Amino acid sequence: MSKSKKEQTNSNPEERILKTEFSEEMSKSYLDYAMSVIVSRAIPDIRDGLKPVQRRTLYAMYELGVKHDKPHRKSARIVGDTMGKYHPHGDSSIYEALVVMAQDWKKEEILVDGHGNFGSIEGDGAAAARYTEARLSELSELAFLADLDKDVVDFVPNFDETEKEPVVLPVKIPNILVNGAEGIAVGMRTSIPTHNLREVLEAMKILLKKPSVTTEELMETLPGPDFPTGGIVINRDELLSIYESGTGRIRLRGKIELEPGRHKSDRSSLVVSEIPYTMIGSGIAKFISDVAALIESKKLPEVTDISNQSSKEGIRLVFELKNGSDPERVKNILYKKTGLEDTFGVNMLAVVDGTPQTVGLKQILQENIRFQIDLNTRKYTHLLQKEREKAEVQEGLIRAIDIIDLIIEIIRGSKTVKDAKACLMGDPARVTFKSQKSRQAAEHLDFTERQATAILEMRLSKLIGLEILSLNKEHDKTVKLIEQYEKVLSSPRAMTNTIVRELDALIAHFGRERRTLITEAEAAHEVKEEVVEQELMFAVDRFGYAKTYDLSVFSRNEEAIRKENRQVFLCKNTGKIYLFTDTGRLHQLKVADIPAARARDKGSPLDNLCNYDSREERVVGIFPDADLETEKFLFVTETGMVKVVAGNEFISSRKTVAATKLAEGDRVLTVEVLSGAQLVLRTEERCALRFAVSEISEMKKASAGVHGIQLAEGDRVKEASQVSPRARSEQAGHEAADWSSVRLSHRGARGVRQKKKQSE
């Protein structure tokens, strides 16, 4: 089939089959879908800062008349109207959007005034739509929907072409900055932080008056984000780059305050009164859980009690401290080890002129100024037209009052309203007059159709003197409004001043101080106390439970400790323990992380102390760091591979490294400190081989080694032992087999088959 599109006519003239390359059709369809998701679902429009579902919900509420000073209406009714008229994508997405617009801990300025259970900052969900009520907030009504009746935005048919909906709401503020935005589309996402309304509008005023202003100068007025949860931004020096490029990371911290005890005997407490914006929802419960885990693992011993005293008044997480504790150390641990210090990823992506673009602070304000100019141009054009029509009627009525007698005569001489209107417009042919003079006067009348209609509809009460005076005053007012509107439309300066006045009114009514503190601070670091170096005894039992003993405890219980544990050796509290496993990996753990034990304590599983996983691997050698610095190690695998490696090869800052190279299906049998002159290997098929260790070359850790014994098919090495091993008191309990009956040979031989012992 040709890759070009071809049309083939079927026998039925109404049917048409379109043949096309499958890959082309898939590519086109996917791009169409992606753009639909980007523009029509997930990414907000830069002009009103709203996604379609938010815009449609607010417009449906506007049509329902649920204004800020009217009673609340059931959320289910609002959701139903929105879904039935404008957004046929399910009620859950509409109600979720409604709920978020009512949550003051997610939005800098709420757009919906919710009544009932709309969730909580701690992650509690909102009640069902049938239980909650809502209405527009005052800001939504005054700054988002106020001028919809003045032809300021275009309207398009809804999904079934039975209603009209606005393409964009006539929002008077840069809502995309004030309330931020979050959304995930196809291949892209947007994440815009919230900002202080007053600061955003002040920055917009500066840009209106001075278009050449730089982002850095704008940031003197708008220094950074202002989150509804407060908190502290600690990377002020990076904000300029973020606002210029539209991308970056904002570092956030919660606010912690020290509350001393009321009395000398009372303990002091650290109180978290503000949290990072990223912690809202389930993050608070996770934070408390993480702190509890730090206390349990002895990494935060200063905290004796945790209590969540949060209420409608705000967040209050209280951590009671031991007497004599260092609050700064606790703060640093909380910042370092929990979500109390976090990052907010910024990606200021918005739909600009129908396409998604990453925009900076200045461009967002520029686009909103352009939008405000367009809105005001359309608004004042509409108002000017209305005032001109009103002036036309007023001028007609004023003229009519001066010739009221003639008009009465015209009305009395007309058979129909149509005849009277035609006469007022200069065609008296079908009107009967009392005199020729009146007819001649009527021939000079030139009222417009609108004026003629108004004159015929005029009440006689308008002829009262005060009413005539009021009409003249009203006309003077209309003339002044026409001059004002014409000036706004013809003068860029007047347009700018008009927008500035609107912004000043919004600042005066809705402006407030910022919640988030912006500063420059170092990233949290854990304050480490100086550790006095001391020697300890490390022990691990046959079940893999490890512990350390103080030397005084060990000396009093040495016999019992050695009997209960498979390996015991000396180490330092500032050192490390190294574990070789049969999978060829080396795990390390700090001695400081191993719990100190009393004589009969069980200890902690090695699984919990390092990356070792007992389900997948088996420990074949455990050594202190002192051995790695001074000794050489002998490796033996189940397929008979052997090698010697210097211990310093394994010293690394990584917790887990590869200790050797293994063939597929092979495993490490044992790792020992090189201590004997000869090595004896015994296989499952009872073959044994003894050879000099000097025949094994020293290699790098990444090597596979050399053949120690030649194995028959299906056979594997079962035991390995160095002959005449150096005595090591730390390895009590390990008894070498008697290999004196195995004759000395060379590495790589097949070995000698041994007779089966009676005990076997």
Side-chain angles (χ1 to χ4, degrees):
M1 182 190 297
S2 172
K3 290 188 177 180
S4 61
K5 295 184 178 180
K6 296 180 179 180
E7 292 184 6
Q8 178 179 328
T9 306
N10 199 15
S11 56
N12 187 341
E14 295 182 359
E15 292 183 4
R16 188 177 63 170
I17 298 175
L18 183 66
K19 291 188 176 181
T20 183
E21 182 68 22
F22 182 75
S23 59
E24 292 179 8
E25 183 63 31
M26 288 296 294
S27 176
K28 179 180 180 302
S29 298
Y30 188 76
L31 285 173
D32 290 345
Y33 161 73
M35 285 305 297
S36 174
V37 172
I38 291 167
V39 177
S40 302
R41 294 285 189 92
I43 309 300
D45 193 297
I46 197 169
R47 294 171 292 179
D48 62 5
L50 298 172
K51 300 177 187 179
V53 65
Q54 296 171 322
R55 184 181 304 118
R56 289 164 174 169
T57 302
L58 291 176
Y59 182 63
M61 295 176 73
Y62 168 81
E63 281 199 313
L64 272 173
V66 283
K67 299 181 179 180
H68 78 279
D69 54 353
K70 297 292 176 63
H72 293 81
R73 297 288 288 274
K74 280 289 185 184
S75 300
R77 171 66 190 276
I78 297 169
V79 171
D81 271 33
T82 306
M83 182 169 61
K85 291 182 177 181
Y86 310 114
H87 197 75
H89 302 295
D91 58 339
S92 59
S93 62
I94 299 170
Y95 186 53
E96 183 179 345
L98 178 74
V99 167
V100 171
M101 288 191 288
Q103 292 178 332
D104 58 5
W105 58 91
K106 285 189 178 179
K107 296 295 181 183
E108 185 74 5
E109 301 291 341
I110 60 168
L111 306 182
V112 172
D113 177 14
H115 181 66
N117 177 13
F118 275 79
S120 73
I121 193 172
E122 297 185 39
D124 301 316
R130 62 184 177 273
Y131 299 121
T132 61
E133 298 176 340
R135 64 184 176 188
L136 290 169
S137 70
E138 189 175 7
L139 179 68
S140 291
E141 191 176 329
L142 298 181
F144 282 64
L145 301 157
D147 294 327
L148 269 176
D149 58 343
K150 296 181 178 63
D151 191 33
V152 290
V153 294
D154 294 330
F155 280 72
V156 294
N158 68 340
F159 62 91
D160 62 358
E161 300 187 356
T162 59
E163 301 280 347
K164 293 278 189 178
E165 62 174 311
V167 174
V168 64
L169 292 186
V171 179
K172 298 179 181 180
I173 64 173
N175 180 54
I176 200 167
L177 281 176
V178 174
N179 276 327
E182 289 187 10
I184 300 174
V186 179
M188 58 183 68
R189 65 184 292 269
T190 184
S191 180
I192 304 174
T194 59
H195 294 79
N196 183 272
L197 175 65
R198 172 184 289 172
E199 293 175 354
V200 171
L201 298 187
E202 291 289 356
M204 192 171 172
K205 285 167 54 181
I206 291 171
L207 188 58
L208 268 166
K209 297 174 182 177
K210 184 183 176 183
S212 61
V213 70
T214 64
T215 301
E216 187 173 5
E217 290 171 332
L218 287 172
M219 289 184 65
E220 293 175 5
T221 301
L222 196 161
D226 183 29
F227 295 100
T229 55
I232 306 169
V233 172
I234 64 169
N235 60 333
R236 178 177 55 199
D237 293 348
E238 297 176 22
L239 295 182
L240 176 59
S241 172
I242 293 172
Y243 282 120
E244 286 181 335
S245 65
T247 59
R249 289 183 173 274
I250 296 172
R251 294 199 65 85
L252 292 170
R253 276 184 184 173
K255 185 177 180 182
I256 309 178
E257 298 171 336
L258 178 65
E259 284 190 1
R262 295 181 180 179
H263 306 287
K264 289 184 178 180
S265 58
D266 293 342
R267 294 177 175 179
S268 58
S269 301
L270 284 177
V271 179
V272 177
S273 56
E274 296 176 6
I275 60 173
Y277 185 70
T278 53
M279 195 189 281
I280 58 177
S282 59
I284 296 177
K286 185 179 185 303
F287 167 63
I288 295 174
S289 175
D290 289 344
V291 175
L294 289 172
I295 297 170
E296 188 177 347
S297 62
K298 308 298 183 183
K299 293 180 180 177
L300 201 58
E302 295 90 341
V303 177
T304 59
D305 186 48
I306 307 172
S307 60
N308 184 355
Q309 300 176 13
S310 303
S311 63
K312 291 182 178 180
E313 282 69 41
I315 293 293
R316 183 176 169 83
L317 308 175
V318 182
F319 303 95
E320 187 178 291
L321 303 179
K322 289 180 180 177
N323 291 330
S325 298
D326 181 3
E328 289 302 316
R329 178 181 180 277
V330 178
K331 281 186 185 180
N332 273 285
I333 292 176
L334 291 176
Y335 285 141
K336 182 72 175 176
K337 300 289 187 180
T338 71
L340 199 60
E341 181 176 312
D342 203 356
T343 57
F344 182 95
V346 177
N347 186 33
M348 297 200 284
L349 183 75
V351 176
V352 183
D353 295 329
T355 59
Q357 293 182 24
T358 300
V359 290
L361 172 64
K362 185 175 179 180
Q363 186 179 352
I364 291 175
L365 294 176
Q366 285 173 332
E367 291 293 334
N368 273 271
I369 288 173
R370 185 159 66 99
F371 182 50
Q372 294 308 311
I373 293 173
D374 181 55
L375 289 177
N376 279 277
T377 300
R378 294 182 62 163
K379 172 184 174 180
Y380 286 105
T381 300
H382 176 82
L383 292 175
L384 178 61
Q385 180 63 27
K386 290 290 185 183
E387 292 302 320
R388 281 176 174 169
E389 292 173 0
K390 188 189 294 184
E392 180 184 343
V393 170
Q394 290 167 346
E395 289 169 0
L397 292 176
I398 292 170
R399 282 179 56 198
I401 290 170
D402 291 338
I403 55 171
I404 192 64
D405 293 333
L406 176 60
I407 289 174
I408 292 172
E409 187 175 343
I410 291 171
I411 293 172
R412 296 185 59 145
S414 301
K415 293 182 179 180
T416 64
V417 174
K418 185 177 180 182
D419 292 342
K421 183 184 291 188
C423 182
L424 291 174
M425 295 171 67
D427 181 15
R430 294 185 293 275
V431 177
T432 303
F433 292 91
K434 292 181 179 180
S435 65
Q436 186 63 28
K437 184 178 179 181
S438 296
R439 175 178 290 278
Q440 289 175 353
E443 288 175 352
H444 291 87
L445 295 176
D446 59 352
F447 290 105
T448 65
E449 184 177 358
R450 183 176 288 107
Q451 289 174 333
T453 301
I455 291 169
L456 293 174
E457 293 175 353
M458 180 178 64
R459 296 181 180 181
L460 291 176
S461 60
K462 289 289 184 182
L463 301 177
I464 299 172
L466 290 176
E467 288 292 329
I468 295 172
L469 185 62
S470 175
L471 180 61
N472 283 311
K473 286 183 178 180
E474 189 179 341
H475 179 60
D476 292 341
K477 182 180 177 182
T478 301
V479 171
K480 288 180 181 179
L481 286 175
I482 290 173
E483 292 175 356
Q484 178 186 331
Y485 296 159
E486 287 177 338
K487 184 179 179 181
V488 170
L489 291 171
S490 61
S491 169
R493 176 175 292 182
M495 176 66 77
T496 297
N497 291 338
T498 300
I499 296 173
V500 168
R501 281 196 299 272
E502 287 185 350
L503 297 179
D504 283 336
L506 291 171
I507 290 171
H509 195 71
F510 298 105
R512 55 162 182 76
E513 296 301 317
R514 69 164 30 250
R515 297 184 179 103
T516 302
L517 175 66
I518 296 178
T519 184
E520 184 64 27
E522 293 183 5
H525 60 279
E526 190 173 348
V527 180
K528 296 184 178 179
E529 298 176 349
E530 283 193 25
V531 179
V532 179
E533 187 175 87
Q534 64 180 27
E535 291 186 326
L536 301 171
M537 292 301 293
F538 169 83
V540 58
D541 63 20
R542 62 191 183 91
F543 299 108
Y545 282 79
K547 52 269 184 185
T548 57
Y549 296 102
D550 186 87
L551 291 183
S552 60
V553 174
F554 177 76
S555 62
R556 292 194 302 269
N557 303 275
E558 181 175 359
E559 184 178 352
I561 291 173
R562 290 193 181 278
K563 184 177 180 180
E564 293 171 0
N565 295 280
R566 66 172 180 172
Q567 195 169 354
V568 181
F569 55 75
L570 195 66
C571 64
K572 291 183 178 179
N573 62 337
T574 56
K576 297 178 180 178
I577 303 295
Y578 291 85
L579 287 74
F580 292 91
T581 70
D582 61 348
T583 59
R585 293 193 288 181
L586 171 64
H587 304 291
Q588 61 170 285
L589 66 146
K590 295 179 181 178
V591 174
D593 292 337
I594 304 171
R598 294 188 293 270
R600 297 292 179 181
D601 285 354
K602 191 174 184 180
S604 295
L606 290 171
D607 299 52
N608 297 345
L609 300 174
C610 63
N611 293 337
Y612 163 65
D613 188 347
S614 60
R615 296 170 298 180
E616 298 179 357
E617 51 190 340
R618 178 176 58 87
V619 175
V620 294
I622 303 178
F623 307 94
D625 51 6
D627 283 358
L628 269 75
E629 294 170 359
T630 58
E631 304 287 356
K632 294 181 179 180
F633 289 83
L634 173 66
F635 283 73
V636 180
T637 75
E638 293 180 355
T639 60
M641 303 299 291
V642 294
K643 70 173 181 178
V644 173
V645 184
N648 56 21
E649 278 271 314
F650 304 108
I651 296 175
S652 170
S653 59
R654 297 172 61 186
K655 289 185 177 181
T656 300
V657 296
T660 187
K661 182 179 180 181
L662 291 173
E664 186 176 352
D666 195 10
R667 288 195 170 250
V668 177
L669 177 68
T670 184
V671 178
E672 297 180 359
V673 170
L674 185 63
S675 58
Q678 298 173 355
L679 177 64
V680 182
L681 302 178
R682 183 183 179 190
T683 74
E684 293 176 349
E685 298 295 331
R686 300 194 306 281
C687 286
L689 177 69
R690 180 159 60 103
F691 59 90
V693 171
S694 58
E695 295 184 17
I696 307 173
S697 303
E698 185 174 326
M699 302 179 178
K700 296 291 184 182
K701 67 178 182 180
S703 63
V706 294
H707 288 284
I709 185 172
Q710 186 176 351
L711 297 174
E713 186 176 352
D715 197 8
R716 298 180 80 83
V717 177
K718 181 181 178 181
E719 296 178 25
S721 180
Q722 298 179 71
V723 176
S724 302
R726 184 171 58 199
R728 300 177 74 234
S729 61
E730 296 85 357
Q731 291 181 331
H734 175 71
E735 297 181 1
D738 180 12
W739 298 107
S740 59
S741 60
V742 182
R743 65 182 178 82
L744 184 64
S745 183
H746 294 284
R747 180 184 63 77
R750 292 189 67 90
V752 178
R753 189 175 183 85
Q754 292 183 305
K755 293 181 180 180
K756 193 172 183 180
K757 297 179 181 179
Q758 291 181 357
S759 59
E760 296 181 7

